[in-house]
Amino acid sequence: MSIENLSCNKSFNGWHKQYRHYSEQLNCTMRFAIYLPPQASRGERVPSLYWLSGRACTDENVMQQAGAQRMAALLGIAIIAPDTSPRGDMVADDNSDALGQGAGFYVNATQAPWHRHYRMYDYVLNELPTLVESMFPVTDRRSIAGHAMGGHGALVLALRNPHRYRSVSAFSPISNPVNCPWGKKAFGAYLGTDTTAWADYDASLLMQKARRFVPALVDQGETDNFLTEQLKPDTLKAAAHLSGYPLTLNRHEGFDHGYYFIASFIEQHLRFHAGYLAR
Amino acid sequence: MSIENLSCNKSFNGWHKQYRHYSEQLNCTMRFAIYLPPQASRGERVPSLYWLSGRACTDENVMQQAGAQRMAALLGIAIIAPDTSPRGDMVADDNSDALGQGAGFYVNATQAPWHRHYRMYDYVLNELPTLVESMFPVTDRRSIAGHAMGGHGALVLALRNPHRYRSVSAFSPISNPVNCPWGKKAFGAYLGTDTTAWADYDASLLMQKARRFVPALVDQGETDNFLTEQLKPDTLKAAAHLSGYPLTLNRHEGFDHGYYFIASFIEQHLRFHAGYLAR
């Protein structure tokens, strides 16, 4: 498995690094970033938090704008940030903001032309952790978090794979994609018109029938432009109520959809995950 | 004085805002950003820290990547981030990385074609504070900080105007521009070939003859690619030794020139300034 280091920056006495590698799942070259806290340079193996970004983002948004490294360094947690879709000239694309490169929606596409590359679900669930855990001093204790489309991805991955993740958190997640314009557009293209296949990728539908729980924390800004039409946190809350799911949903007056919101509450998310990763 | 609000984001319970206004000094339209801590929304007037960015940056780099808002909110300090030069189709430019738009070097240019717009020194010293202090709940207690070219600007402004600033700090400042390639290129164009005019904009030359002191903190990464040729912190240290200047210069093994370095130590800079702004 060939892998190329692209950048390396010291950050809070740990290291931020970007890598490029060939992904078998995605059938293309991918970039990801990892933040290794200082504990990892002192011979310790550290647990990891996967961060799934939103539409049109790459690994760089969270690493540059969330301010997560300070607490990751303090708590001894590695952060791994994959890209948001397969990319490249050979990879199918779309001009829409909810489909194509930068908007993989963390699904395994079944429909042409998407199925040749768009397998972000398996990439994040298996291929990337296998690579990371073989290369870096990280344990197999994993948590997962994300923003918007990435919040959807984090919740779906945790809800379907409770044995793989200790905890899950999200900022402004797309909570019920089968019922919002972005989700319908993406799922229709990636998964086809038979909507029964969509349920496996809908956090609200998964949460309401969940039997095995991964503790979940969700933060949502009240002045998020996408709140009502696209994100639907109330649907997630209702689903949690039905199954007795351990979901903490915080709503924040005045906060919007972007990284200024995320940076304001990232400390609480890191501390939340640390409480489960340490066990 | 017309001013237009461009954006508004809640951040650590304060507000990040961008504005566009016409600058008389710069003879063009300018953008700046301000972070108002939560204390400013509760009827308090707060002191301010001006942040001068480096070449090719705008107001957005520090606001998105430094993680300064957390401590600014805790300590009750406004942060004001001007742009790094005049900009626009009518403004002289250059393809060089040390001259033209994005590289105003915080001087008042005296040479054509630059003198029509490039007056960042007066803009930062007078015009912008007058505007900010008339519009926002900030006091006239000011400190100033910056990065690289902006570190040079912050040091020069504080050294020449000790009555205007309580404290000054810099990350990786261009400490002796009259003796480095970037500085020679910029000063030669903006100030002309008579190098006697350059001394007023050289932090090391100003510091070695300083009589009135603004406490200064400088942090420098040891693996900064520009350290030896362009930044020359040792020259600044020697200058401080000559005049007995209260300069604290910290060098950090493994850190480079970018915002991962700044974010790692921004808390110490905010706390340093808070100690002087509170008096």
Side-chain angles (χ1 to χ4, degrees), chain A residues 255 263-264, chain B residues 10-16 35-42 44 46-47 67-79 267 270-271 274:
Chain A
F255 283 92
S264 299
Chain B
K10 197 168 183 179
S11 168
F12 288 92
N13 290 324
W15 292 93
H16 165 262
Y35 176 70
L36 289 164
Q39 293 82 350
S41 300
R42 296 200 295 261
E44 291 178 39
V46 297
Q69 292 90 342
R70 184 180 66 89
M71 288 307 298
L74 189 69
L75 299 168
I77 298 172
I79 301 174
E267 173 170 344
L270 268 293
R271 289 191 184 280

PDB file of all heavy atoms in Angstrom, chain A residues 255 263-264, chain B residues 10-16 35-42 44 46-47 67-79 267 270-271 274:
ATOM      1  N   PHE A 255     -26.246  30.974  16.852  1.00  0.00           N
ATOM      2  CA  PHE A 255     -25.144  30.347  16.098  1.00  0.00           C
ATOM      3  C   PHE A 255     -25.640  29.853  14.742  1.00  0.00           C
ATOM      4  O   PHE A 255     -26.770  29.387  14.613  1.00  0.00           O
ATOM      5  CB  PHE A 255     -24.550  29.182  16.883  1.00  0.00           C
ATOM      6  CG  PHE A 255     -23.646  29.632  17.993  1.00  0.00           C
ATOM      7  CD1 PHE A 255     -24.136  29.825  19.276  1.00  0.00           C
ATOM      8  CD2 PHE A 255     -22.301  29.884  17.754  1.00  0.00           C
ATOM      9  CE1 PHE A 255     -23.308  30.243  20.311  1.00  0.00           C
ATOM     10  CE2 PHE A 255     -21.464  30.305  18.782  1.00  0.00           C
ATOM     11  CZ  PHE A 255     -21.967  30.489  20.058  1.00  0.00           C
ATOM     12  N   ALA A 263     -16.038  25.765  16.168  1.00  0.00           N
ATOM     13  CA  ALA A 263     -14.911  26.113  17.039  1.00  0.00           C
ATOM     14  C   ALA A 263     -15.378  26.469  18.448  1.00  0.00           C
ATOM     15  O   ALA A 263     -14.690  26.190  19.431  1.00  0.00           O
ATOM     16  CB  ALA A 263     -14.121  27.275  16.436  1.00  0.00           C
ATOM     17  N   SER A 264     -16.574  27.047  18.537  1.00  0.00           N
ATOM     18  CA  SER A 264     -17.079  27.485  19.844  1.00  0.00           C
ATOM     19  C   SER A 264     -17.403  26.312  20.767  1.00  0.00           C
ATOM     20  O   SER A 264     -17.423  26.482  21.987  1.00  0.00           O
ATOM     21  CB  SER A 264     -18.333  28.348  19.662  1.00  0.00           C
ATOM     22  OG  SER A 264     -18.042  29.517  18.905  1.00  0.00           O
TER      23      SER A 264
ATOM     24  N   LYS B  10     -21.840  34.313  15.137  1.00  0.00           N
ATOM     25  CA  LYS B  10     -21.635  34.155  16.576  1.00  0.00           C
ATOM     26  C   LYS B  10     -20.449  33.224  16.797  1.00  0.00           C
ATOM     27  O   LYS B  10     -20.316  32.194  16.114  1.00  0.00           O
ATOM     28  CB  LYS B  10     -22.894  33.599  17.238  1.00  0.00           C
ATOM     29  CG  LYS B  10     -22.921  33.786  18.746  1.00  0.00           C
ATOM     30  CD  LYS B  10     -24.297  33.495  19.318  1.00  0.00           C
ATOM     31  CE  LYS B  10     -24.344  33.741  20.803  1.00  0.00           C
ATOM     32  NZ  LYS B  10     -25.727  33.483  21.351  1.00  0.00           N
ATOM     33  N   SER B  11     -19.602  33.596  17.748  1.00  0.00           N
ATOM     34  CA  SER B  11     -18.366  32.859  17.987  1.00  0.00           C
ATOM     35  C   SER B  11     -18.013  32.973  19.460  1.00  0.00           C
ATOM     36  O   SER B  11     -17.827  34.086  19.964  1.00  0.00           O
ATOM     37  CB  SER B  11     -17.260  33.460  17.111  1.00  0.00           C
ATOM     38  OG  SER B  11     -15.986  32.990  17.491  1.00  0.00           O
ATOM     39  N   PHE B  12     -17.987  31.859  20.168  1.00  0.00           N
ATOM     40  CA  PHE B  12     -17.701  31.854  21.604  1.00  0.00           C
ATOM     41  C   PHE B  12     -18.566  32.891  22.328  1.00  0.00           C
ATOM     42  O   PHE B  12     -18.084  33.629  23.188  1.00  0.00           O
ATOM     43  CB  PHE B  12     -16.213  32.091  21.859  1.00  0.00           C
ATOM     44  CG  PHE B  12     -15.353  30.909  21.489  1.00  0.00           C
ATOM     45  CD1 PHE B  12     -14.796  30.789  20.228  1.00  0.00           C
ATOM     46  CD2 PHE B  12     -15.142  29.881  22.393  1.00  0.00           C
ATOM     47  CE1 PHE B  12     -14.035  29.688  19.880  1.00  0.00           C
ATOM     48  CE2 PHE B  12     -14.373  28.772  22.062  1.00  0.00           C
ATOM     49  CZ  PHE B  12     -13.817  28.678  20.794  1.00  0.00           C
ATOM     50  N   ASN B  13     -19.826  32.939  21.949  1.00  0.00           N
ATOM     51  CA  ASN B  13     -20.822  33.844  22.546  1.00  0.00           C
ATOM     52  C   ASN B  13     -20.540  35.317  22.314  1.00  0.00           C
ATOM     53  O   ASN B  13     -21.204  36.173  22.881  1.00  0.00           O
ATOM     54  CB  ASN B  13     -21.042  33.547  24.033  1.00  0.00           C
ATOM     55  CG  ASN B  13     -21.763  32.224  24.208  1.00  0.00           C
ATOM     56  OD1 ASN B  13     -22.630  31.877  23.400  1.00  0.00           O
ATOM     57  ND2 ASN B  13     -21.399  31.473  25.228  1.00  0.00           N
ATOM     58  N   GLY B  14     -19.548  35.621  21.487  1.00  0.00           N
ATOM     59  CA  GLY B  14     -19.366  36.971  20.980  1.00  0.00           C
ATOM     60  C   GLY B  14     -19.705  36.967  19.499  1.00  0.00           C
ATOM     61  O   GLY B  14     -20.351  36.043  19.009  1.00  0.00           O
ATOM     62  N   TRP B  15     -19.240  37.995  18.796  1.00  0.00           N
ATOM     63  CA  TRP B  15     -19.613  38.125  17.380  1.00  0.00           C
ATOM     64  C   TRP B  15     -18.416  38.460  16.519  1.00  0.00           C
ATOM     65  O   TRP B  15     -17.661  39.389  16.815  1.00  0.00           O
ATOM     66  CB  TRP B  15     -20.676  39.217  17.218  1.00  0.00           C
ATOM     67  CG  TRP B  15     -21.969  38.813  17.843  1.00  0.00           C
ATOM     68  CD1 TRP B  15     -22.381  39.093  19.116  1.00  0.00           C
ATOM     69  CD2 TRP B  15     -22.991  37.999  17.254  1.00  0.00           C
ATOM     70  NE1 TRP B  15     -23.605  38.509  19.353  1.00  0.00           N
ATOM     71  CE2 TRP B  15     -24.006  37.831  18.220  1.00  0.00           C
ATOM     72  CE3 TRP B  15     -23.151  37.394  15.994  1.00  0.00           C
ATOM     73  CZ2 TRP B  15     -25.163  37.089  17.975  1.00  0.00           C
ATOM     74  CZ3 TRP B  15     -24.298  36.661  15.746  1.00  0.00           C
ATOM     75  CH2 TRP B  15     -25.288  36.504  16.736  1.00  0.00           C
ATOM     76  N   HIS B  16     -18.252  37.687  15.459  1.00  0.00           N
ATOM     77  CA  HIS B  16     -17.305  37.999  14.392  1.00  0.00           C
ATOM     78  C   HIS B  16     -18.062  38.716  13.287  1.00  0.00           C
ATOM     79  O   HIS B  16     -19.102  38.231  12.815  1.00  0.00           O
ATOM     80  CB  HIS B  16     -16.694  36.713  13.845  1.00  0.00           C
ATOM     81  CG  HIS B  16     -15.989  36.901  12.537  1.00  0.00           C
ATOM     82  ND1 HIS B  16     -16.577  36.613  11.326  1.00  0.00           N
ATOM     83  CD2 HIS B  16     -14.762  37.402  12.254  1.00  0.00           C
ATOM     84  CE1 HIS B  16     -15.729  36.909  10.352  1.00  0.00           C
ATOM     85  NE2 HIS B  16     -14.628  37.380  10.882  1.00  0.00           N
ATOM     86  N   TYR B  35     -13.717  40.998  16.009  1.00  0.00           N
ATOM     87  CA  TYR B  35     -14.338  40.053  16.933  1.00  0.00           C
ATOM     88  C   TYR B  35     -14.689  40.809  18.201  1.00  0.00           C
ATOM     89  O   TYR B  35     -13.800  41.394  18.847  1.00  0.00           O
ATOM     90  CB  TYR B  35     -13.413  38.883  17.276  1.00  0.00           C
ATOM     91  CG  TYR B  35     -14.064  37.990  18.307  1.00  0.00           C
ATOM     92  CD1 TYR B  35     -15.165  37.218  17.964  1.00  0.00           C
ATOM     93  CD2 TYR B  35     -13.639  37.978  19.627  1.00  0.00           C
ATOM     94  CE1 TYR B  35     -15.811  36.437  18.912  1.00  0.00           C
ATOM     95  CE2 TYR B  35     -14.276  37.196  20.580  1.00  0.00           C
ATOM     96  CZ  TYR B  35     -15.374  36.429  20.211  1.00  0.00           C
ATOM     97  OH  TYR B  35     -16.027  35.664  21.146  1.00  0.00           O
ATOM     98  N   LEU B  36     -15.970  40.817  18.512  1.00  0.00           N
ATOM     99  CA  LEU B  36     -16.447  41.473  19.732  1.00  0.00           C
ATOM    100  C   LEU B  36     -16.756  40.396  20.760  1.00  0.00           C
ATOM    101  O   LEU B  36     -17.625  39.539  20.519  1.00  0.00           O
ATOM    102  CB  LEU B  36     -17.694  42.299  19.430  1.00  0.00           C
ATOM    103  CG  LEU B  36     -17.429  43.562  18.598  1.00  0.00           C
ATOM    104  CD1 LEU B  36     -18.725  44.105  18.020  1.00  0.00           C
ATOM    105  CD2 LEU B  36     -16.738  44.627  19.466  1.00  0.00           C
ATOM    106  N   PRO B  37     -16.074  40.404  21.893  1.00  0.00           N
ATOM    107  CA  PRO B  37     -16.305  39.362  22.894  1.00  0.00           C
ATOM    108  C   PRO B  37     -17.674  39.550  23.551  1.00  0.00           C
ATOM    109  O   PRO B  37     -18.293  40.605  23.405  1.00  0.00           O
ATOM    110  CB  PRO B  37     -15.172  39.593  23.893  1.00  0.00           C
ATOM    111  CG  PRO B  37     -14.909  41.057  23.815  1.00  0.00           C
ATOM    112  CD  PRO B  37     -15.125  41.416  22.363  1.00  0.00           C
ATOM    113  N   PRO B  38     -18.160  38.532  24.258  1.00  0.00           N
ATOM    114  CA  PRO B  38     -19.511  38.622  24.835  1.00  0.00           C
ATOM    115  C   PRO B  38     -19.687  39.813  25.773  1.00  0.00           C
ATOM    116  O   PRO B  38     -20.788  40.341  25.882  1.00  0.00           O
ATOM    117  CB  PRO B  38     -19.684  37.282  25.570  1.00  0.00           C
ATOM    118  CG  PRO B  38     -18.388  36.563  25.462  1.00  0.00           C
ATOM    119  CD  PRO B  38     -17.553  37.209  24.432  1.00  0.00           C
ATOM    120  N   GLN B  39     -18.621  40.249  26.426  1.00  0.00           N
ATOM    121  CA  GLN B  39     -18.726  41.403  27.321  1.00  0.00           C
ATOM    122  C   GLN B  39     -19.247  42.628  26.579  1.00  0.00           C
ATOM    123  O   GLN B  39     -19.946  43.466  27.168  1.00  0.00           O
ATOM    124  CB  GLN B  39     -17.349  41.726  27.928  1.00  0.00           C
ATOM    125  CG  GLN B  39     -16.791  40.676  28.879  1.00  0.00           C
ATOM    126  CD  GLN B  39     -16.100  39.516  28.153  1.00  0.00           C
ATOM    127  OE1 GLN B  39     -16.187  39.379  26.928  1.00  0.00           O
ATOM    128  NE2 GLN B  39     -15.433  38.658  28.912  1.00  0.00           N
ATOM    129  N   ALA B  40     -18.896  42.747  25.298  1.00  0.00           N
ATOM    130  CA  ALA B  40     -19.324  43.912  24.505  1.00  0.00           C
ATOM    131  C   ALA B  40     -20.823  43.891  24.223  1.00  0.00           C
ATOM    132  O   ALA B  40     -21.419  44.930  23.928  1.00  0.00           O
ATOM    133  CB  ALA B  40     -18.544  43.961  23.183  1.00  0.00           C
ATOM    134  N   SER B  41     -21.427  42.712  24.296  1.00  0.00           N
ATOM    135  CA  SER B  41     -22.888  42.617  24.115  1.00  0.00           C
ATOM    136  C   SER B  41     -23.625  42.850  25.425  1.00  0.00           C
ATOM    137  O   SER B  41     -24.850  42.932  25.445  1.00  0.00           O
ATOM    138  CB  SER B  41     -23.264  41.230  23.570  1.00  0.00           C
ATOM    139  OG  SER B  41     -22.643  41.003  22.334  1.00  0.00           O
ATOM    140  N   ARG B  42     -22.874  42.933  26.515  1.00  0.00           N
ATOM    141  CA  ARG B  42     -23.509  43.111  27.824  1.00  0.00           C
ATOM    142  C   ARG B  42     -23.331  44.531  28.321  1.00  0.00           C
ATOM    143  O   ARG B  42     -23.414  44.790  29.520  1.00  0.00           O
ATOM    144  CB  ARG B  42     -22.898  42.122  28.825  1.00  0.00           C
ATOM    145  CG  ARG B  42     -23.170  40.665  28.472  1.00  0.00           C
ATOM    146  CD  ARG B  42     -22.998  39.757  29.667  1.00  0.00           C
ATOM    147  NE  ARG B  42     -21.630  39.706  30.179  1.00  0.00           N
ATOM    148  CZ  ARG B  42     -20.754  38.740  29.895  1.00  0.00           C
ATOM    149  NH1 ARG B  42     -21.105  37.751  29.102  1.00  0.00           N
ATOM    150  NH2 ARG B  42     -19.553  38.758  30.407  1.00  0.00           N
ATOM    151  N   GLU B  44     -20.621  46.433  28.249  1.00  0.00           N
ATOM    152  CA  GLU B  44     -19.264  46.876  28.617  1.00  0.00           C
ATOM    153  C   GLU B  44     -18.540  47.419  27.394  1.00  0.00           C
ATOM    154  O   GLU B  44     -18.773  46.963  26.275  1.00  0.00           O
ATOM    155  CB  GLU B  44     -18.442  45.696  29.157  1.00  0.00           C
ATOM    156  CG  GLU B  44     -18.884  45.182  30.491  1.00  0.00           C
ATOM    157  CD  GLU B  44     -18.038  43.979  30.920  1.00  0.00           C
ATOM    158  OE1 GLU B  44     -16.809  43.997  30.677  1.00  0.00           O
ATOM    159  OE2 GLU B  44     -18.622  43.043  31.479  1.00  0.00           O
ATOM    160  N   VAL B  46     -14.872  47.374  25.797  1.00  0.00           N
ATOM    161  CA  VAL B  46     -13.737  46.458  25.954  1.00  0.00           C
ATOM    162  C   VAL B  46     -12.503  47.033  25.252  1.00  0.00           C
ATOM    163  O   VAL B  46     -12.614  47.797  24.301  1.00  0.00           O
ATOM    164  CB  VAL B  46     -14.064  45.062  25.379  1.00  0.00           C
ATOM    165  CG1 VAL B  46     -15.218  44.419  26.143  1.00  0.00           C
ATOM    166  CG2 VAL B  46     -14.383  45.134  23.884  1.00  0.00           C
ATOM    167  N   PRO B  47     -11.318  46.654  25.725  1.00  0.00           N
ATOM    168  CA  PRO B  47     -10.094  47.069  25.027  1.00  0.00           C
ATOM    169  C   PRO B  47      -9.920  46.270  23.736  1.00  0.00           C
ATOM    170  O   PRO B  47     -10.635  45.291  23.509  1.00  0.00           O
ATOM    171  CB  PRO B  47      -8.992  46.731  26.034  1.00  0.00           C
ATOM    172  CG  PRO B  47      -9.547  45.613  26.839  1.00  0.00           C
ATOM    173  CD  PRO B  47     -11.038  45.840  26.918  1.00  0.00           C
ATOM    174  N   GLY B  67      -7.663  30.642  16.083  1.00  0.00           N
ATOM    175  CA  GLY B  67      -8.319  30.200  17.316  1.00  0.00           C
ATOM    176  C   GLY B  67      -8.226  31.236  18.430  1.00  0.00           C
ATOM    177  O   GLY B  67      -8.239  30.886  19.613  1.00  0.00           O
ATOM    178  N   ALA B  68      -8.169  32.500  18.070  1.00  0.00           N
ATOM    179  CA  ALA B  68      -7.976  33.557  19.076  1.00  0.00           C
ATOM    180  C   ALA B  68      -9.256  33.912  19.826  1.00  0.00           C
ATOM    181  O   ALA B  68      -9.203  34.474  20.920  1.00  0.00           O
ATOM    182  CB  ALA B  68      -7.425  34.810  18.389  1.00  0.00           C
ATOM    183  N   GLN B  69     -10.403  33.601  19.243  1.00  0.00           N
ATOM    184  CA  GLN B  69     -11.661  34.060  19.837  1.00  0.00           C
ATOM    185  C   GLN B  69     -11.920  33.454  21.214  1.00  0.00           C
ATOM    186  O   GLN B  69     -12.545  34.097  22.064  1.00  0.00           O
ATOM    187  CB  GLN B  69     -12.838  33.739  18.902  1.00  0.00           C
ATOM    188  CG  GLN B  69     -12.851  34.541  17.599  1.00  0.00           C
ATOM    189  CD  GLN B  69     -12.106  33.857  16.475  1.00  0.00           C
ATOM    190  OE1 GLN B  69     -11.301  32.952  16.711  1.00  0.00           O
ATOM    191  NE2 GLN B  69     -12.345  34.285  15.245  1.00  0.00           N
ATOM    192  N   ARG B  70     -11.472  32.225  21.437  1.00  0.00           N
ATOM    193  CA  ARG B  70     -11.731  31.587  22.730  1.00  0.00           C
ATOM    194  C   ARG B  70     -11.161  32.416  23.870  1.00  0.00           C
ATOM    195  O   ARG B  70     -11.863  32.735  24.842  1.00  0.00           O
ATOM    196  CB  ARG B  70     -11.121  30.176  22.740  1.00  0.00           C
ATOM    197  CG  ARG B  70     -11.403  29.376  23.990  1.00  0.00           C
ATOM    198  CD  ARG B  70     -10.755  27.997  23.910  1.00  0.00           C
ATOM    199  NE  ARG B  70      -9.302  28.091  23.899  1.00  0.00           N
ATOM    200  CZ  ARG B  70      -8.527  28.106  24.983  1.00  0.00           C
ATOM    201  NH1 ARG B  70      -9.077  28.000  26.186  1.00  0.00           N
ATOM    202  NH2 ARG B  70      -7.218  28.198  24.879  1.00  0.00           N
ATOM    203  N   MET B  71      -9.900  32.798  23.750  1.00  0.00           N
ATOM    204  CA  MET B  71      -9.290  33.583  24.821  1.00  0.00           C
ATOM    205  C   MET B  71      -9.777  35.031  24.811  1.00  0.00           C
ATOM    206  O   MET B  71      -9.914  35.653  25.868  1.00  0.00           O
ATOM    207  CB  MET B  71      -7.766  33.562  24.705  1.00  0.00           C
ATOM    208  CG  MET B  71      -7.131  32.247  25.066  1.00  0.00           C
ATOM    209  SD  MET B  71      -7.613  31.626  26.692  1.00  0.00           S
ATOM    210  CE  MET B  71      -6.988  32.926  27.752  1.00  0.00           C
ATOM    211  N   ALA B  72     -10.040  35.578  23.634  1.00  0.00           N
ATOM    212  CA  ALA B  72     -10.569  36.941  23.559  1.00  0.00           C
ATOM    213  C   ALA B  72     -11.913  37.030  24.282  1.00  0.00           C
ATOM    214  O   ALA B  72     -12.203  38.016  24.960  1.00  0.00           O
ATOM    215  CB  ALA B  72     -10.711  37.375  22.100  1.00  0.00           C
ATOM    216  N   ALA B  73     -12.720  35.976  24.140  1.00  0.00           N
ATOM    217  CA  ALA B  73     -14.014  35.932  24.831  1.00  0.00           C
ATOM    218  C   ALA B  73     -13.815  35.820  26.338  1.00  0.00           C
ATOM    219  O   ALA B  73     -14.488  36.479  27.127  1.00  0.00           O
ATOM    220  CB  ALA B  73     -14.846  34.760  24.315  1.00  0.00           C
ATOM    221  N   LEU B  74     -12.873  34.980  26.727  1.00  0.00           N
ATOM    222  CA  LEU B  74     -12.628  34.780  28.153  1.00  0.00           C
ATOM    223  C   LEU B  74     -12.086  36.048  28.801  1.00  0.00           C
ATOM    224  O   LEU B  74     -12.474  36.415  29.911  1.00  0.00           O
ATOM    225  CB  LEU B  74     -11.623  33.636  28.325  1.00  0.00           C
ATOM    226  CG  LEU B  74     -11.385  33.120  29.741  1.00  0.00           C
ATOM    227  CD1 LEU B  74     -12.621  32.383  30.250  1.00  0.00           C
ATOM    228  CD2 LEU B  74     -10.181  32.170  29.767  1.00  0.00           C
ATOM    229  N   LEU B  75     -11.205  36.729  28.098  1.00  0.00           N
ATOM    230  CA  LEU B  75     -10.513  37.883  28.673  1.00  0.00           C
ATOM    231  C   LEU B  75     -11.227  39.205  28.390  1.00  0.00           C
ATOM    232  O   LEU B  75     -10.851  40.238  28.949  1.00  0.00           O
ATOM    233  CB  LEU B  75      -9.078  37.945  28.122  1.00  0.00           C
ATOM    234  CG  LEU B  75      -8.197  36.735  28.453  1.00  0.00           C
ATOM    235  CD1 LEU B  75      -6.909  36.761  27.621  1.00  0.00           C
ATOM    236  CD2 LEU B  75      -7.867  36.689  29.942  1.00  0.00           C
ATOM    237  N   GLY B  76     -12.202  39.188  27.486  1.00  0.00           N
ATOM    238  CA  GLY B  76     -12.926  40.418  27.177  1.00  0.00           C
ATOM    239  C   GLY B  76     -12.128  41.398  26.342  1.00  0.00           C
ATOM    240  O   GLY B  76     -12.005  42.584  26.686  1.00  0.00           O
ATOM    241  N   ILE B  77     -11.579  40.922  25.250  1.00  0.00           N
ATOM    242  CA  ILE B  77     -10.779  41.754  24.342  1.00  0.00           C
ATOM    243  C   ILE B  77     -11.376  41.672  22.940  1.00  0.00           C
ATOM    244  O   ILE B  77     -11.665  40.582  22.449  1.00  0.00           O
ATOM    245  CB  ILE B  77      -9.315  41.264  24.304  1.00  0.00           C
ATOM    246  CG1 ILE B  77      -8.677  41.372  25.691  1.00  0.00           C
ATOM    247  CG2 ILE B  77      -8.497  42.032  23.267  1.00  0.00           C
ATOM    248  CD1 ILE B  77      -7.297  40.729  25.782  1.00  0.00           C
ATOM    249  N   ALA B  78     -11.555  42.831  22.303  1.00  0.00           N
ATOM    250  CA  ALA B  78     -11.947  42.844  20.891  1.00  0.00           C
ATOM    251  C   ALA B  78     -10.705  42.631  20.030  1.00  0.00           C
ATOM    252  O   ALA B  78      -9.618  43.104  20.373  1.00  0.00           O
ATOM    253  CB  ALA B  78     -12.605  44.163  20.529  1.00  0.00           C
ATOM    254  N   ILE B  79     -10.866  41.925  18.919  1.00  0.00           N
ATOM    255  CA  ILE B  79      -9.767  41.753  17.965  1.00  0.00           C
ATOM    256  C   ILE B  79     -10.175  42.431  16.657  1.00  0.00           C
ATOM    257  O   ILE B  79     -11.277  42.187  16.152  1.00  0.00           O
ATOM    258  CB  ILE B  79      -9.467  40.266  17.709  1.00  0.00           C
ATOM    259  CG1 ILE B  79      -9.094  39.569  19.017  1.00  0.00           C
ATOM    260  CG2 ILE B  79      -8.342  40.115  16.681  1.00  0.00           C
ATOM    261  CD1 ILE B  79      -8.924  38.067  18.876  1.00  0.00           C
ATOM    262  N   GLU B 267      -2.930  31.698  22.783  1.00  0.00           N
ATOM    263  CA  GLU B 267      -3.421  31.907  24.144  1.00  0.00           C
ATOM    264  C   GLU B 267      -2.429  32.732  24.961  1.00  0.00           C
ATOM    265  O   GLU B 267      -2.821  33.681  25.656  1.00  0.00           O
ATOM    266  CB  GLU B 267      -3.684  30.569  24.844  1.00  0.00           C
ATOM    267  CG  GLU B 267      -4.036  30.750  26.320  1.00  0.00           C
ATOM    268  CD  GLU B 267      -4.535  29.498  27.001  1.00  0.00           C
ATOM    269  OE1 GLU B 267      -4.913  28.526  26.315  1.00  0.00           O
ATOM    270  OE2 GLU B 267      -4.580  29.493  28.251  1.00  0.00           O
ATOM    271  N   LEU B 270      -2.648  36.412  23.904  1.00  0.00           N
ATOM    272  CA  LEU B 270      -3.840  37.099  24.436  1.00  0.00           C
ATOM    273  C   LEU B 270      -3.680  37.384  25.923  1.00  0.00           C
ATOM    274  O   LEU B 270      -4.020  38.479  26.396  1.00  0.00           O
ATOM    275  CB  LEU B 270      -5.088  36.250  24.190  1.00  0.00           C
ATOM    276  CG  LEU B 270      -5.890  36.488  22.897  1.00  0.00           C
ATOM    277  CD1 LEU B 270      -6.551  37.855  22.903  1.00  0.00           C
ATOM    278  CD2 LEU B 270      -5.079  36.310  21.641  1.00  0.00           C
ATOM    279  N   ARG B 271      -3.148  36.430  26.669  1.00  0.00           N
ATOM    280  CA  ARG B 271      -2.955  36.646  28.109  1.00  0.00           C
ATOM    281  C   ARG B 271      -1.918  37.743  28.365  1.00  0.00           C
ATOM    282  O   ARG B 271      -2.059  38.540  29.305  1.00  0.00           O
ATOM    283  CB  ARG B 271      -2.522  35.342  28.798  1.00  0.00           C
ATOM    284  CG  ARG B 271      -3.630  34.312  28.884  1.00  0.00           C
ATOM    285  CD  ARG B 271      -3.229  33.160  29.799  1.00  0.00           C
ATOM    286  NE  ARG B 271      -4.222  32.110  29.834  1.00  0.00           N
ATOM    287  CZ  ARG B 271      -5.346  32.136  30.549  1.00  0.00           C
ATOM    288  NH1 ARG B 271      -5.626  33.192  31.308  1.00  0.00           N
ATOM    289  NH2 ARG B 271      -6.189  31.130  30.522  1.00  0.00           N
ATOM    290  N   ALA B 274      -3.655  41.000  27.690  1.00  0.00           N
ATOM    291  CA  ALA B 274      -4.687  41.267  28.696  1.00  0.00           C
ATOM    292  C   ALA B 274      -4.088  41.870  29.960  1.00  0.00           C
ATOM    293  O   ALA B 274      -4.693  42.732  30.606  1.00  0.00           O
ATOM    294  CB  ALA B 274      -5.441  39.972  29.027  1.00  0.00           C
TER     295      ALA B 274
END
